[in-house]
Structure formats: structure tokens, C-alpha cells
Amino acid sequence: MAKTLDTFYRSQSLIYKYFLYFLTIGAIVFFFPKGGQFKYEFQKGKPWQYENLYAPFDFSIRKTEAELQAERQQFQRDQVPYYRFDTEAAREVYRAYEELFPEYFPGTGLSARQIGVLRQQGRAILDSLYLRGIWDGSDPPLSREVYLVRNNQARRMRFDSIYRMDALRNTIRDLTESVGIPADQAEFRELLLRIAEPNVSLDQELTGRELENQLSGISLTRGNVDEGALIVAKGEVVEGESLKKLESLRAEYASEVWSANNYYFILSGYTILVALVLIMLLLFLKRYRPDVFRNNVKVTFIFFNILVMVFLTTFVVKYNEALVFVVPLCILPLILKTFFDARLGLFVHVLTVLILGFVVPNSFEYIFLQIIAGIVTILTVSELYKRANLFISVGQITLIYILGYFAFNIIQGGSLDNVVWVNFGFFLLNGMITLFVQPLIYIYEKMFGMVSDVSLLELSDTNSRLLKELSNKAPGTFNHSLQVANLAEAAANEIGANAMLVRVGALYHDIGKMNNPTYFTENQTTNNNPHDELAPEKSARIIIKHVIEGIEMARKQNIPDRIIDFIRTHHGTTLVYYFYKKARERDGEDPDEKDFRYPGPVPFSKETAILMMADSVEAASKSLVNPTYSIIDEFVDKIIATQMQAGQFLNAEITFKEIETVKKVLKQRLTNIYHLRVEYPE
């Protein structure tokens, strides 16, 4: 059981990679469109580049979205709206007429017969008004004809045959004259105007329901293509009827292939292809980037960025495939080059583009343009912390997109007639979005604890809080750190290591000396050495402790782990030899080395190895008296040979040739530092 747990513990990093690998495959396949892949690529207005295509099965020609929208709009224009006739409102008007008539005509001046005739004439006018109805005027007229719903029966009639409330005064005047009522009977007309109420209004619910019924009945297809019928001939321009047939065949093919019977076959095909792409990535990391492969955070970071790009592209394609070039895919190599290196960035970019080839339309054109743009990104982008460099690189990337797309259209169409000019705007928008890589890099630094050149540039500022405190409390150590930074940076440039990272690591590697600055010789301004009063073991503990205290200070100040690595490894597991020798002379025998040895670990990268060499050489060079070229040469060789014999560089992946180059740079720099000036005569 214990052996099994031990094996599991030692294999947990590999188990995590397996889990991440399969999780990424599942997520990518999930994002893929749920349909079979149509094996032909075509574009509107471009010649058909394959052999004559015949219908493999019967299928219907689907209407385009524009055609369906035109039919919907035509239905909306031709729709006859429904208006509701309120019979209860008409009864209320008649009731009001009978109640108010005696108030207007009390019986004086007119005979009973005349009043009776007048009452009958008023009823006749109301009958005329409410036979057609009075429109309330609340909604604008929707058409010339309407359905008037009365007593649950709809009758089609002209809209202008319904009386309007806003023209009722003129209508009543015309009706009173038509029945023979004298023009001087103004009181009678006022009575009719007072009691008249609208009783016809638009029935929006019924009108909308009827429109929905009509729209739902629109056919999505028009005509059929029989099996074996010619769809498009070789060299024929894909447009008009042939374009509609091809689009219908593609949609039908996807829906027929992606069925319940073969769902798992297609799914397994997608899974195998994506798995092959991702296994290539893992093999590349294991073979050529073992430091990245061993770091699960970095592997997760790479897979996460691939997933983000796949998700964005598939989302845009599902929304509107015409916007596919708006997705800033070149952000991927930009970010990976920033945190890793150019070769890894390009390799991951190419693999991601291959995956997206299953998703995008015109996959060959898309893959070609994206790979070319990715290569340009890798070749042009450098020193992102310089703002102008990013703008220049993005401009070059956008230009490559435009030129590549332009060339494809000339090749396929033979002219400029079929160029979709709006795509150039999409390329410009792509470039503008790519500029947001700077804040994205900052977010990734916080999420994954990684360090970019921009952050390194900020950390290299000697006016930062921590370095300012170092210069105040331990000025000798601060000057030593500056000298080491210059030496290490020069050496890193010679062997192709990360010079900016080495410089920043050198500036911070001795910050732990701030707690006890006078115990370190570079900060002692008098001949009074506090170590003279201490036992060698205690002095060694104070010297060794500056590494641990430096790590703690850096963590409190949120210094990135990659910089803390330099603090942790700049002495490796070497001995504090001076005090070890002093203890041996005191006791007459070898003391316990554990009391005099740094805790380590040893350097595990080229950069940390360079810092160890530069730090030791610069510190020891202070003891040189009247140095010469031969003395400096022998001095540097001796120090670095001692470190190599102690096995300090075994994990650093630095070659003998690179160590010799570092030694050469250190010798040259020390020679320049100690070179005597020519004495000028007074």
C-alpha cells in the first residue's frame, strides 16, 4: 500500500498532464459544430475548382435568409388587420340619446309630432353611424382594407368606410342634412356629438396571432434537386442558382451525416484528430522544452490559451462566419513568445490553426493566412515593453492579412470584382484588438504567477521601493548587485539566455543582507569586523540566513517566483568556506559541513547558473591586489572550476561551451573594470 501511494505521489505530475490532455480534447470537441464536414470548399463569385458535381441524393433547395426575410416583410405589408366592433358601446350611446333628448327639446316651440319626427331622425342618424362604426383613432391605419369583427364574425371592408372620431362633426352635419333636419338645428347636432363614442379599435392580439400563423406557414424550401442531377460544372462561377444548390447540399449533408446512427463515429473522428494535434504538442514540450513540460502551471497555461482561441473562433463562426477574421488569433504566439520563446509560440500557433481548420469556412485560405500571420508575429515582435514595437508589429501583421486575402481573391476570381472589401475592415479591427495583448499579459501574470519582459523592466527600476531600501541600508551590497547585474547581463547576451531576467535576478539576489548589513564585508566602512567576536558557526549562520531572509522579503513584496529563484540558488549548496576553514583551524579537525553549507537548491537554468558565476567572481575580485591579465584569467578559471567540481551546474542545462563563453565575458569585463588609466603629466 505504501509503495502504491509512493508511486502515485511521484507520478502525480504526469497524471495531471493526462487529465489536462483528455479534458482539453473533450472541451475542444464539444465546441466543434455538431455536423458532418462537407468535403468541398466554395465561395460566392469564385470558380468551382473541382470536377462536375452531381447530386448524391434527393434534396430540397433551401431559401436563403434574405429570401425568407423578404417573404416575411411581404406578409407584413399585405396583412389585413383585425378591428373589433364594440356593440355594448353602441347600446350606451342609444341609451344616452333617449335620456338627454328631452333636455335639449323640452317641447316648447315644436309640436309633439315634430318632436317625435326629430327623435326618429336622430335614431336614424345613430343607426347610420353605428352600422359602420366609429374608429377611435388610437392607432394609425395599417392598410386600406380591414377585417371588422362583429358578434364573433369578421367582415372584410374598406378602412375608409368606417367613420373617424376626429371627423365626426362634419359627418353628423352631412347626415342631418341628408335626413332633412334644418341647418339651424345646432342643438340637435351638439346632442349627437355629445353622446357619440368610438366603438371600433385595433385588435392587436388577434392581428398578431394571425400574422404569426401566416409567417409559420412560409416554406423554407423552393424546388427539389433529384439524385444524379448536375449541380455545378468544373470552372463554373459559383453564384445564383448553383450557389443556392451547393449551400442546400452542404446543409443537407451535415444534417444527414450527423445522425443518431453515426453520431459516435463522427465524434470519434474529431476526437482522434484533436488528440493527434495535442499529443504532438506534449511530445514537442517533452523533447525540446523539458523545463516547460515538467512545470504543470506552464503546461496548463498553454492548453488554456489554445482552448480560449478555439472557443472564441467557434463562437464567432456560429454567430456570423463572415466575422471569422476579427478573432485576434495572433495574440496566441504573442503571449507565448512573451512568456516562453519564439519556437514554442509558433509551434502552438500552427497546431491551434490546424484544429480551427475543422471549424472555419474556406479552411485552406484561413490556415494559410493565419500561419503566415503567426510567422510574421514571431519574427517581428520583440521587446514588447517598448510601446512602439507592439504598434509596428501589429501594423505588419494587419498588412500581411490584407495582402494575403487580396492575393487569394485575385487567384480565385481573376479580377477585383469579387473582393469583399468589408473584410479589410475586419482585418483592421483584428489589429486593434491585438493591441489589447498588453493588459492581457498583465492578467495572465496575476493568474498564473508568470513574468513577462514588461514586469522585468518595472522590477529593474532601481528607484523601486525594495531596491531603494537596499541602497539606503546596505549601500555596499547595492553597488555589488549593480556590478553583478552588469556582468551577468553581458554573459547572458553572449550565450542567448534571457538577459533581462538575469539582470533583475542579480539586482534582487542579495536583498536579505539588509537585516544585518554590517556582517557583510562590502558594507563595513571601518576596520571593526563584528565576526571577530563570534564563533565561526554563528557567523556562518548569519551569512547563510541572508538567503532565507531574502526569500521572505521578496515574497512580502510580491516579487515573482522566477526572481525569487535567483535569491534561492545564487549560492547553491556551496560552503561558507572562510568560516569553515576558521572552525577547522580552531578545532584541529573538520567540523560538520551542515553548519557551513547553504541550503540550496543548485541553479536549475542557464540564467541562475550565470548569476552564481558572476556573483562569486565579482565578490571575490575585491580581494585582488594589483590585478593583471594573467591573474584575472587564472582567478576566474579557479572560481568557476571549484563550482563545477562541487556539482553546482549539473541541473542548469548549460553546456561546457556556454560556461567557457561566460568565463570569457567575465574576464573581459573584469579587465575593463581594473584597467589602469594612463597617468597624465601635471
Side-chain angles (χ1 to χ4, degrees), residues 34-92:
K34 300 299 184 290
Q37 288 291 324
F38 190 53
K39 61 182 178 179
Y40 300 107
E41 293 283 346
F42 62 89
Q43 283 183 284
K44 180 182 179 181
K46 307 293 175 63
W48 179 255
Q49 299 177 351
Y50 309 95
E51 296 297 327
N52 294 355
L53 178 63
Y54 298 91
F57 45 76
D58 296 339
F59 65 92
S60 301
I61 301 176
R62 302 192 179 195
K63 295 178 182 177
T64 64
E65 185 59 34
E67 291 174 333
L68 292 173
Q69 187 63 27
E71 286 192 38
R72 295 187 190 103
Q73 292 175 352
Q74 187 62 42
F75 268 109
Q76 291 173 345
R77 286 193 298 268
D78 296 342
Q79 186 196 18
V80 179
Y82 285 80
Y83 282 77
R84 181 73 61 179
F85 187 94
D86 189 352
T87 55
E88 186 60 33
R91 293 192 190 97
E92 290 296 328

Side-chain angles (χ1 to χ4, degrees), residues 69 82 121 137 174 196 255 304 389 420 556 562:
Q69 187 63 27
Y82 285 80
Q121 290 174 328
D174 295 339
S255 62
F304 175 78
N389 288 359
V420 183
K556 287 180 181 178
R562 290 186 72 186

Side-chain angles (χ1 to χ4, degrees), residues 405-406 416-426:
Y405 176 79
F406 188 75
L416 301 180
D417 297 337
N418 298 316
V419 175
V420 183
W421 298 102
V422 71
N423 283 343
F424 296 118
F426 294 155

Side-chain angles (χ1 to χ4, degrees), residues 84-128:
R84 181 73 61 179
F85 187 94
D86 189 352
T87 55
E88 186 60 33
R91 293 192 190 97
E92 290 296 328
V93 170
Y94 281 99
R95 194 176 297 113
Y97 176 75
E98 296 297 337
E99 292 177 358
L100 295 177
F101 186 84
E103 297 181 11
Y104 278 81
F105 303 100
T108 57
L110 294 174
S111 64
R113 180 177 175 279
Q114 290 175 322
I115 291 175
V117 171
L118 194 60
R119 185 191 295 268
Q120 288 298 118
Q121 290 174 328
R123 290 197 190 96
I125 292 172
L126 291 177
D127 290 341
S128 298

Side-chain angles (χ1 to χ4, degrees), residues 437-453:
V437 70
Q438 287 284 23
L440 188 59
I441 288 173
Y442 176 79
I443 293 171
Y444 278 151
E445 286 179 334
K446 300 304 179 185
M447 286 177 60
F448 293 92
M450 306 178 76
V451 184
S452 68
D453 286 349

Side-chain angles (χ1 to χ4, degrees), residues 577-591:
Y577 188 73
Y578 176 82
F579 294 108
Y580 176 78
K581 182 179 179 182
K582 190 175 179 181
R584 186 170 60 184
E585 291 173 352
R586 181 197 63 187
D587 300 333
E589 59 182 16
D590 291 338

Side-chain angles (χ1 to χ4, degrees), residues 305-346:
N305 277 278
I306 294 174
L307 271 178
V308 168
M309 288 303 167
V310 172
F311 170 74
L312 286 177
T313 305
T314 52
F315 176 79
V316 170
V317 169
K318 289 178 181 179
Y319 175 73
N320 186 352
E321 65 181 27
L323 302 176
V324 67
F325 284 110
V326 176
V327 180
L329 201 63
C330 286
I331 282 182
L332 181 61
L334 263 175
I335 290 174
L336 295 179
K337 184 182 179 182
T338 299
F339 290 113
F340 302 107
D341 60 86
R343 184 181 296 181
L344 177 59
L346 181 59

